[in-house]
Amino acid sequence: GYLIRKYSMTDIACLLQFRTVLETQGLEISKNLITEADLDELQEFCDFCNRLSPTEASRQYVALNRKFHVMLISFAHNPYMTSTLANVMDQLKVALAADQSIGNPQLSDHIEIVKALRQKDYEKAKGFLTYINDKVYGHISLQSMNPEDLAR
């Protein structure tokens, strides 16, 4: 049999915070490593996602979103960061599977990250990463947790 772990809201908030740290630091590391070919690959993936029907994009959102973010962090050329982010995304998939309060995720938001990277504006790209995470998961944050819950 399988044991399915139940995630607390504190667990989820910690995972989301860790994900943001990983992704923004990954962008910081990749700023001197990312190539036009990398950006073209990311753009092609965004274009593919934008061609999907709204129903299909919604159905595949978790897998496509994971792929985009793992591709993005892979440009830092640190396999430990890449595998750790993939693991965090997989944990969040399980933890948030039944959460009906998640914001309106849009794969099209990713194109703003690609545009900022093409302009070599890494602060703007990091800002979009944070904005997207806040837009979708903003109701779950360590700041909104009860301090007694955090101590457990």
Side-chain angles (χ1 to χ4, degrees), residues 88 115 128 133 139 142:
V88 167
K115 285 179 186 175
F128 277 118
N133 287 342
H139 64 291
L142 290 174

Side-chain angles (χ1 to χ4, degrees), residues 3 17 32 48 69 71 80 122 134:
L3 176 63
Q17 185 182 59
N32 294 320
F48 165 79
H69 289 278
M71 284 172 65
Y80 298 100
Y122 292 89
D134 287 348

Side-chain angles (χ1 to χ4, degrees), residues 28-95:
E28 186 65 32
I29 292 167
S30 71
K31 68 176 157 183
N32 294 320
L33 302 171
I34 198 165
T35 67
E36 283 300 315
D38 293 333
L39 294 174
D40 290 345
E41 180 183 1
L42 213 50
Q43 179 73 50
E44 286 173 22
F45 181 72
C46 287
D47 292 345
F48 165 79
C49 291
N50 288 335
R51 285 192 301 271
L52 295 173
S53 70
T55 302
E56 191 62 22
S58 178
R59 191 177 70 72
Q60 293 188 47
Y61 175 79
V62 172
L64 296 171
N65 185 58
R66 179 188 186 279
K67 183 172 181 173
F68 175 85
H69 289 278
V70 171
M71 284 172 65
L72 186 61
I73 203 167
S74 74
F75 301 144
H77 300 282
N78 182 323
Y80 298 100
M81 288 181 84
T82 303
S83 64
T84 299
L85 180 64
N87 180 277
V88 167
M89 299 284 287
D90 291 342
Q91 288 183 64
L92 285 168
K93 175 184 172 183
V94 172

